[in-house]
């Protein structure tokens, strides 16, 4: 019998308790031992639950209980989750977490503590909810040189974009529905402003390229500025707008990392990933492109990944897993403006600006894009691919033309 504790009985924590209870026989068979929830930490009381007597509001009840070998952290946020997780590792308990904010900010430190103590710090659920991605990236694809990891990493915003595009739902209506369904963060600004996807991108980039990437190093743009016109322009380009997190290894071993709405060509493997689904593409030198798709948020999908980590840990209680990356290295993440990109740009033009001549003179032959409802003075085109700072320099030379919108086109590099 292996005793575990759960920190936090919110959406994910309650899902973990539920999955462990509902599937206990199969889980015990797979783990080779029965898994017993001995304590649950939460400030609230849940008197109606059959396991109401397991609750405590005192973290010390868990930390000092030597019978508890594994601690599941599903509180979210950095504090006190970081303090609790670190204390558990220092006390000799392995930790499983779904907390992407924690892993993105403190992953290297916590992995090092775990390694030094022959423990495990596992966090499959922190990226992609129920989708297996970190273990496959770390183990099944280990033979590859990975060039790129890119994905739709936030279920809330993908759900919202899908509702806004297909059902013409308002931004606020779609967000309220995502919150009701338990997809959104406690503070949904983290979803719509891209921070959640940024944290997940950091975890993927750290694991894929071996050095910790901090959220502060990643250029991040959310979906709050997306309009109906953007959606129409994306369709006119033959694509669809998705909020993408992208990490690319440069030839000299550095990384470009970014989270932003991008126009994906309709035939891209991620373009059809809608609703709360996440999709993550890994490009390796031997395997080519591999895509992982599944439910990226929600109680039971996320609990599924947490419990799988608990099972894995039960099977490795006295053996360390090799999930690890090195410390952050300043300069490892390159300025995103150096990355080559092609953009869909829209300009509001004065009548006598000679927009087409200026565009031709600056960029040569470009693909012009139009939509039926565009304002009369609007001109839109897809730029050639070049470093972003150069594109911006070049359009700085336009006169009588004001840039109103620029959206990056996703293209394989
Ligand atoms: N708010 C997150 C999302 C939850 O919508 O993807 C899962 O990390």
């Amino acid at each position: 019998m292996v005793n575990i504790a759960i920190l936090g009985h919110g959406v994910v924590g309650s899902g973990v308790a539920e999955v462990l209870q509902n599937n206990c026989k199969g889980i015990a068979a797979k783990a080779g031992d029965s898994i017993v929830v001995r304590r649950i930490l939460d400030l609230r009381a849940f008197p109606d639950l059959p396991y109401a007597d397991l609750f405590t509001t005192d973290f010390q009840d868990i930390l000092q209980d030597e019978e508890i070998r594994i601690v599941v952290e599903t509180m979210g946020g950095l504090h006190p989750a970081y303090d609790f997780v670190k204390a558990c590792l220092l006390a000799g308990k392995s930790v499983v977490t779904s907390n992407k904010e924690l892993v993105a900010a403190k992953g290297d430190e916590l992995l090092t503590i775990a390694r030094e103590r022959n423990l495990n710090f596992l966090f499959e659920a922190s990226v992609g909810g129920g989708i297996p991605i970190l273990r496959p990236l770390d183990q099944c694809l280990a033979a590859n040189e990975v060039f790129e990891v890119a994905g739709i990493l936030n279920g809330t915003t993908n759900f919202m974009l899908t509702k806004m595009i297909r059902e013409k739902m308002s931004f606020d209506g779609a967000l309220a529905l995502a919150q009701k369904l338990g997809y959104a963060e406690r503070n949904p600004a983290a979803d719509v402003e891209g921070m959640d996807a940024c944290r997940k991108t950091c975890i993927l980039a750290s694991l894929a390229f071996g050095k910790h990437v901090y959220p502060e190093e990643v250029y991040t743009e959310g979906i709050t500025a997306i309009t109906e016109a953007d959606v129409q322009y994306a369709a006119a380009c033959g694509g669809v707008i998705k909020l993408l997190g992208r990490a690319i290894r440069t030839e000299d071993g550095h990384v470009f990392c970014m989270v932003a709405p991008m126009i994906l060509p309709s035939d891209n493997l991620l373009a059809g990933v809608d609703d709360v689904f996440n999709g993550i593409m890994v490009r390796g030198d031997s395997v080519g492109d591999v895509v992982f798709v599944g439910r990226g948020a929600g109680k039971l999908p996320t609990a599924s990944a947490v419990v799988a980590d608990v099972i894995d840990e039960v099977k490795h209680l006295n053996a360390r897993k090799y999930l690890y990356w090195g410390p952050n290295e300043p300069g490892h993440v390159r300025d995103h403006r150096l990355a080559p990109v092609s953009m869909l740009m829209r300009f509001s033009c004065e009548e006598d600006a000679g927009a087409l001549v200026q565009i031709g003179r600056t960029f040569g032959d470009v693909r012009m894009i139009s939509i039926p409802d565009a304002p009369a003075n609007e001109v839109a085109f897809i730029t050639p691919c070049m470093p972003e700072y150069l594109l911006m320099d070049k359009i700085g030379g336009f006169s009588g033309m004001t840039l109103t919108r620029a959206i990056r086109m996703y293209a394989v590099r």
Side-chain angles (χ1 to χ4, degrees):
M1 181 174 88
V2 177
N3 287 301
I4 73 163
I6 302 172
L7 309 182
H9 194 260
V11 173
V12 181
S14 61
V16 170
E18 193 177 319
V19 170
L20 282 169
Q21 192 173 32
N22 291 349
N23 301 347
C24 64
K25 277 201 182 133
I27 287 172
K30 287 169 198 155
D33 209 340
S34 58
I35 298 172
V36 175
V37 179
R38 190 167 157 102
R39 282 292 197 183
I40 301 175
L41 181 76
D42 205 292
L43 292 176
R44 301 160 296 179
F46 295 85
D48 299 332
L49 288 176
Y51 50 89
D53 56 326
L54 300 183
F55 281 87
T56 176
T57 55
D58 187 356
F59 171 62
Q60 295 302 323
D61 287 344
I62 291 166
L63 187 65
Q64 285 168 19
D65 186 339
E66 287 183 3
E67 297 296 312
I68 294 172
R69 303 284 304 272
I70 303 169
V71 174
V72 172
E73 187 275 307
T74 52
M75 308 171 77
L78 207 47
H79 295 289
Y82 164 64
D83 316 271
F84 289 176
V85 166
K86 189 171 171 179
C88 287
L89 290 170
L90 291 171
K93 301 176 195 305
S94 282
V95 174
V96 171
T97 184
S98 58
N99 187 339
K100 51 260 160 158
E101 189 173 351
L102 173 67
V103 182
K106 303 286 183 186
D108 53 347
E109 180 191 348
L110 297 171
L111 282 166
T112 300
I113 297 174
R115 184 163 78 161
E116 285 167 0
R117 282 165 178 71
N118 205 32
L119 299 165
N120 290 305
F121 176 55
L122 302 175
F123 39 87
E124 181 62 60
S126 66
V127 180
I131 308 170
I133 173 64
L134 301 184
R135 199 169 274 101
L137 183 58
D138 192 49
Q139 294 178 8
C140 314
L141 299 174
N144 287 264
E145 284 296 314
V146 173
F147 299 128
E148 175 175 351
V149 184
I152 298 166
L153 299 169
N154 181 267
T156 299
T157 46
N158 204 34
F159 176 83
M160 288 174 67
L161 286 173
T162 307
K163 291 287 173 197
M164 288 160 70
I165 294 169
R166 283 208 208 132
E167 297 171 28
K168 308 280 174 244
M169 200 179 264
S170 70
F171 184 94
D172 290 340
L175 177 56
L177 188 54
Q179 285 179 293
K180 190 174 151 202
L181 292 169
Y183 302 154
E185 297 301 300
R186 244 179 305 175
N187 175 5
D191 295 298
V192 297
E193 288 171 9
M195 273 316 295
D196 179 75
C198 169
R199 290 167 185 145
K200 294 165 178 169
T201 304
C202 289
I203 298 169
L204 289 169
S206 302
L207 188 59
F209 305 122
K211 290 181 183 139
H212 193 102
V213 172
Y214 289 121
E216 300 74 37
E217 299 174 291
V218 177
Y219 173 80
T220 299
E221 214 182 289
I223 65 160
T224 49
I226 299 288
T227 62
E228 173 64 23
D230 293 333
V231 171
Q232 285 182 30
Y233 269 111
C237 294
V240 59
I241 294 191
K242 294 287 184 190
L243 181 66
L244 281 191
R246 193 172 189 196
I248 300 170
R249 201 184 67 176
T250 64
E251 276 173 15
D252 57 359
H254 290 83
V255 182
F256 284 126
C257 248
M258 158 182 293
V259 173
M262 295 183 205
I263 299 177
L264 276 173
S266 306
D267 59 359
N268 184 283
L269 290 168
L270 297 175
V273 176
D274 288 332
D275 294 305
V276 72
F277 285 82
N278 283 190
I280 302 152
M281 185 279 299
V282 180
R283 175 165 301 131
D285 64 343
S286 305
V287 75
D289 289 359
V290 191
V291 176
F292 301 82
V293 177
R295 287 184 186 277
K299 178 176 172 173
L300 295 180
T302 310
S304 148
V306 172
V307 173
D309 270 352
V310 173
I311 295 171
D312 202 12
E313 177 51 24
V314 168
K315 289 159 80 175
H316 293 91
L317 268 178
N318 297 312
R320 217 177 59 73
K321 306 262 308 164
Y322 284 88
L323 182 71
Y324 186 74
W325 60 70
N328 175 268
E329 193 180 286
H332 173 58
V333 178
R334 281 271 165 84
D335 184 335
H336 76 279
R337 286 167 298 191
L338 297 172
V341 68
S342 163
M343 285 186 167
L344 170 69
M345 287 188 170
R346 297 193 336 241
F347 292 85
S348 170
C349 305
E350 290 169 17
E351 219 166 87
D352 56 356
L356 296 185
V357 174
Q358 291 196 65
I359 292 167
R361 209 165 42 213
T362 309
F363 291 117
D365 209 10
V366 296
R367 183 173 159 208
M368 304 302 296
I369 304 290
S370 60
I371 60 168
D373 300 329
N377 63 344
E378 184 161 275
V379 166
F381 65 96
I382 299 175
T383 72
C385 184
M386 64 184 76
E388 193 170 321
Y389 81 90
L390 208 55
L391 271 181
M392 292 306 170
D393 271 6
K394 284 183 182 281
I395 63 162
F398 286 170
S399 77
M401 297 170 63
T402 308
L403 180 69
T404 53
R405 194 85 170 102
I407 304 182
R408 296 172 183 82
M409 307 290 296
Y410 177 90
V412 174
R413 291 218 193 106

